[in-house]
Amino acid sequence: MKDRSLVQIALYAAIFAVLGLLPKFDIPLAGGVPITAQSMGAMLAGVMLGAWRGAAAMVLMLFVVALGAPLLAGGRGGLGVFFTPSIGFIVGWVAVAFVAGAIMQALRKAPVFPAALIASVVGGIVVMYAFGIVGMAMRTQLSLLDATKACLIFIPGDAIKAVLTALVAQTVARGLPEALLSRNA
């Protein structure tokens, strides 16, 4: 991997960590899974860096969290976070970034905003919820159907994050198009 790619992977892992500084909101209905801004970090990593670099940024982040760094929302870190009802969402961030990046690369001829919005919705909502619902059901006493119902509360916020991700991508593409690696790969 080129030095520039490594720096960009580290940068998006850092952006993801910074989003963890925003307060989390615990929702009793969601099986103990909090609302955080970090899912937007996974969307951004994929949309901006492409599939492999975006996924690598999330793997780097999870590795640092596993080592104990309190970089998840609410100051969480360490191996214990991988045994909570949030596990599906946490490990799903790698798939979110990969899928969002792959879609962004596939749609490189389309205008940036709609391509980034589609990539963020499919990766950041559909894929993330596929992982999150299964993880929640496995770590709680909820059935898959009940876990799905519990996750409905997250959809409005994640839709807003998808729009914000698309706006960021469009803004970057206008001012510094070479920084949108998913389009230049």
Side-chain angles (χ1 to χ4, degrees), residues 13-106:
I15 289 169
F16 187 91
V18 168
L19 288 170
L21 296 175
L22 297 173
K24 68 180 179 108
F25 298 99
D26 292 312
I27 306 294
L29 302 173
V33 176
I35 294 175
T36 75
Q38 287 185 301
S39 54
M40 184 176 164
M43 292 179 205
L44 275 170
V47 165
M48 300 301 293
L49 297 179
W52 291 107
R53 288 183 196 98
M58 295 301 94
V59 168
L60 173 61
M61 181 64 192
L62 293 181
F63 177 72
V64 173
V65 166
L67 290 176
L71 300 176
L72 297 183
R76 298 172 299 143
L79 292 175
V81 300
F82 296 97
F83 298 95
T84 67
S86 298
I87 182 59
F89 292 98
I90 292 170
V91 298
W93 288 328
V94 176
V96 167
F98 184 85
V99 171
I103 290 171
M104 197 64 183
Q105 288 168 305

Side-chain angles (χ1 to χ4, degrees), residues 148-162:
T148 301
K149 290 177 188 175
C151 286
L152 293 176
I153 195 162
F154 299 125
I155 290 177
D158 288 331
I160 291 168
K161 292 175 212 171

